[in-house]
Short mmCIF file of all heavy atoms in Angstrom, two decimals:
data_model
loop_
_atom_site.label_atom_id
_atom_site.label_comp_id
_atom_site.label_asym_id
_atom_site.label_seq_id
_atom_site.Cartn_x
_atom_site.Cartn_y
_atom_site.Cartn_z
N ARG A 197 -10.24 -96.63 -30.61
CA ARG A 197 -10.43 -95.19 -30.30
C ARG A 197 -11.13 -94.99 -29.01
O ARG A 197 -10.75 -94.10 -28.21
CB ARG A 197 -11.21 -94.54 -31.40
CG ARG A 197 -10.37 -94.11 -32.58
CD ARG A 197 -11.12 -93.26 -33.57
NE ARG A 197 -11.03 -93.90 -34.79
CZ ARG A 197 -11.95 -94.03 -35.76
NH1 ARG A 197 -13.15 -93.52 -35.55
NH2 ARG A 197 -11.76 -94.66 -36.84
N LYS A 198 -12.13 -95.82 -28.70
CA LYS A 198 -12.88 -95.71 -27.37
C LYS A 198 -11.89 -96.00 -26.25
O LYS A 198 -11.84 -95.30 -25.27
CB LYS A 198 -14.01 -96.65 -27.35
CG LYS A 198 -15.23 -96.12 -28.12
CD LYS A 198 -16.40 -97.11 -27.93
CE LYS A 198 -17.56 -96.64 -28.71
NZ LYS A 198 -18.71 -97.61 -28.55
N ASP A 199 -11.06 -97.08 -26.45
CA ASP A 199 -10.12 -97.48 -25.41
C ASP A 199 -9.08 -96.30 -25.11
O ASP A 199 -8.75 -96.00 -24.03
CB ASP A 199 -9.42 -98.79 -25.74
CG ASP A 199 -10.29 -99.97 -25.58
OD1 ASP A 199 -11.36 -99.84 -24.97
OD2 ASP A 199 -9.99 -100.96 -26.18
N THR A 200 -8.60 -95.79 -26.27
CA THR A 200 -7.60 -94.67 -26.20
C THR A 200 -8.29 -93.45 -25.50
O THR A 200 -7.67 -92.79 -24.67
CB THR A 200 -7.12 -94.28 -27.58
OG1 THR A 200 -6.53 -95.49 -28.17
CG2 THR A 200 -6.06 -93.25 -27.50
N ALA A 201 -9.50 -93.18 -25.91
CA ALA A 201 -10.16 -91.98 -25.29
C ALA A 201 -10.43 -92.25 -23.83
O ALA A 201 -10.26 -91.34 -23.00
CB ALA A 201 -11.48 -91.80 -26.02
N ARG A 202 -10.83 -93.48 -23.42
CA ARG A 202 -11.02 -93.73 -22.02
C ARG A 202 -9.71 -93.65 -21.27
O ARG A 202 -9.62 -93.07 -20.07
CB ARG A 202 -11.59 -95.14 -21.85
CG ARG A 202 -13.02 -95.26 -22.18
CD ARG A 202 -13.56 -96.68 -21.90
NE ARG A 202 -14.80 -96.85 -22.55
CZ ARG A 202 -15.14 -97.85 -23.28
NH1 ARG A 202 -14.35 -98.86 -23.44
NH2 ARG A 202 -16.35 -97.96 -23.83
N PHE A 203 -8.67 -94.14 -21.84
CA PHE A 203 -7.35 -94.14 -21.18
C PHE A 203 -6.89 -92.64 -20.96
O PHE A 203 -6.42 -92.25 -19.95
CB PHE A 203 -6.28 -94.93 -21.95
CG PHE A 203 -4.93 -94.87 -21.48
CD1 PHE A 203 -4.56 -95.61 -20.35
CD2 PHE A 203 -3.96 -94.02 -21.96
CE1 PHE A 203 -3.30 -95.59 -19.82
CE2 PHE A 203 -2.69 -93.95 -21.46
CZ PHE A 203 -2.34 -94.75 -20.35
N THR A 204 -7.00 -91.85 -22.09
CA THR A 204 -6.63 -90.45 -22.00
C THR A 204 -7.45 -89.67 -20.91
O THR A 204 -6.92 -88.89 -20.18
CB THR A 204 -6.86 -89.77 -23.38
OG1 THR A 204 -6.08 -90.50 -24.36
CG2 THR A 204 -6.40 -88.33 -23.35
N ALA A 205 -8.78 -89.98 -20.86
CA ALA A 205 -9.65 -89.34 -19.88
C ALA A 205 -9.16 -89.77 -18.48
O ALA A 205 -9.19 -88.91 -17.55
CB ALA A 205 -11.12 -89.75 -20.15
N ALA A 206 -8.89 -91.08 -18.31
CA ALA A 206 -8.45 -91.57 -16.97
C ALA A 206 -7.17 -90.82 -16.55
O ALA A 206 -7.04 -90.41 -15.41
CB ALA A 206 -8.29 -93.06 -16.99
N VAL A 207 -6.22 -90.76 -17.50
CA VAL A 207 -4.93 -90.09 -17.08
C VAL A 207 -5.17 -88.62 -16.80
O VAL A 207 -4.59 -88.07 -15.85
CB VAL A 207 -3.99 -90.18 -18.27
CG1 VAL A 207 -2.74 -89.34 -18.07
CG2 VAL A 207 -3.48 -91.66 -18.42
N PHE A 208 -6.05 -87.90 -17.57
CA PHE A 208 -6.39 -86.57 -17.32
C PHE A 208 -6.99 -86.37 -15.95
O PHE A 208 -6.58 -85.48 -15.23
CB PHE A 208 -7.30 -86.07 -18.45
CG PHE A 208 -7.62 -84.57 -18.31
CD1 PHE A 208 -6.64 -83.62 -18.64
CD2 PHE A 208 -8.86 -84.19 -17.91
CE1 PHE A 208 -6.94 -82.30 -18.52
CE2 PHE A 208 -9.15 -82.83 -17.83
CZ PHE A 208 -8.15 -81.92 -18.12
N CYS A 209 -7.96 -87.26 -15.66
CA CYS A 209 -8.57 -87.17 -14.33
C CYS A 209 -7.62 -87.38 -13.16
O CYS A 209 -7.62 -86.70 -12.13
CB CYS A 209 -9.76 -88.19 -14.18
SG CYS A 209 -11.14 -87.67 -15.15
N LEU A 210 -6.76 -88.34 -13.37
CA LEU A 210 -5.74 -88.61 -12.31
C LEU A 210 -4.79 -87.38 -12.14
O LEU A 210 -4.41 -87.03 -11.07
CB LEU A 210 -4.93 -89.84 -12.66
CG LEU A 210 -5.58 -91.18 -12.45
CD1 LEU A 210 -4.74 -92.29 -12.98
CD2 LEU A 210 -5.83 -91.40 -10.94
N ALA A 211 -4.46 -86.83 -13.27
CA ALA A 211 -3.61 -85.61 -13.18
C ALA A 211 -4.30 -84.49 -12.46
O ALA A 211 -3.67 -83.79 -11.66
CB ALA A 211 -3.17 -85.14 -14.60
N LEU A 212 -5.59 -84.29 -12.68
CA LEU A 212 -6.32 -83.30 -11.94
C LEU A 212 -6.47 -83.55 -10.48
O LEU A 212 -6.48 -82.63 -9.66
CB LEU A 212 -7.69 -83.04 -12.65
CG LEU A 212 -7.68 -82.33 -13.98
CD1 LEU A 212 -9.12 -82.29 -14.53
CD2 LEU A 212 -7.11 -80.98 -13.92
N CYS A 213 -6.66 -84.81 -10.19
CA CYS A 213 -6.94 -85.17 -8.85
C CYS A 213 -5.61 -85.38 -7.96
O CYS A 213 -5.68 -85.41 -6.72
CB CYS A 213 -7.73 -86.48 -8.75
SG CYS A 213 -9.35 -86.33 -9.48
N ALA A 214 -4.53 -85.56 -8.65
CA ALA A 214 -3.20 -85.76 -7.93
C ALA A 214 -2.91 -84.50 -7.13
O ALA A 214 -3.14 -83.39 -7.55
CB ALA A 214 -2.12 -86.04 -8.94
N PRO A 215 -2.37 -84.73 -5.96
CA PRO A 215 -2.01 -83.55 -5.14
C PRO A 215 -0.93 -82.75 -5.77
O PRO A 215 -0.03 -83.32 -6.43
CB PRO A 215 -1.51 -84.14 -3.84
CG PRO A 215 -1.21 -85.59 -4.16
CD PRO A 215 -2.06 -86.01 -5.32
N LEU A 216 -1.02 -81.44 -5.66
CA LEU A 216 0.05 -80.60 -6.22
C LEU A 216 1.29 -80.72 -5.33
O LEU A 216 1.22 -80.92 -4.14
CB LEU A 216 -0.46 -79.15 -6.21
CG LEU A 216 -1.66 -78.89 -7.09
CD1 LEU A 216 -2.19 -77.47 -6.88
CD2 LEU A 216 -1.31 -79.09 -8.57
N PRO A 217 2.40 -80.59 -5.97
CA PRO A 217 3.66 -80.62 -5.15
C PRO A 217 3.64 -79.51 -4.13
O PRO A 217 3.37 -78.32 -4.45
CB PRO A 217 4.78 -80.44 -6.17
CG PRO A 217 4.12 -79.96 -7.36
CD PRO A 217 2.69 -80.24 -7.32
N LEU A 218 3.92 -79.81 -2.94
CA LEU A 218 3.97 -78.82 -1.87
C LEU A 218 5.35 -78.25 -1.70
O LEU A 218 6.38 -79.06 -1.68
CB LEU A 218 3.56 -79.46 -0.50
CG LEU A 218 2.12 -79.98 -0.48
CD1 LEU A 218 1.86 -80.67 0.80
CD2 LEU A 218 1.12 -78.93 -0.78
N HIS A 219 5.51 -77.00 -1.61
CA HIS A 219 6.83 -76.40 -1.35
C HIS A 219 6.93 -76.17 0.15
O HIS A 219 6.01 -75.71 0.79
CB HIS A 219 6.88 -75.03 -2.08
CG HIS A 219 6.85 -75.17 -3.55
ND1 HIS A 219 7.87 -75.67 -4.25
CD2 HIS A 219 5.82 -74.89 -4.44
CE1 HIS A 219 7.56 -75.68 -5.59
NE2 HIS A 219 6.26 -75.21 -5.72
N ALA A 220 8.08 -76.54 0.62
CA ALA A 220 8.30 -76.36 2.10
C ALA A 220 8.34 -74.87 2.41
O ALA A 220 8.89 -74.05 1.64
CB ALA A 220 9.62 -77.04 2.50
N ALA A 221 7.76 -74.51 3.52
CA ALA A 221 7.84 -73.18 3.98
C ALA A 221 9.29 -72.84 4.31
O ALA A 221 9.97 -73.71 4.78
CB ALA A 221 6.97 -72.98 5.18
N PRO A 222 9.69 -71.65 4.01
CA PRO A 222 11.07 -71.29 4.37
C PRO A 222 11.36 -71.41 5.90
O PRO A 222 10.44 -71.11 6.74
CB PRO A 222 11.23 -69.88 3.93
CG PRO A 222 9.92 -69.37 3.54
CD PRO A 222 8.99 -70.54 3.47
#
Side-chain angles (χ1 to χ4, degrees):
R197 273 191 237 140
K198 283 183 182 178
D199 288 342
T200 302
R202 285 185 194 132
F203 178 76
T204 303
V207 169
F208 183 72
C209 286
L210 283 174
L212 288 177
C213 297
L216 296 173
L218 299 176
H219 297 286

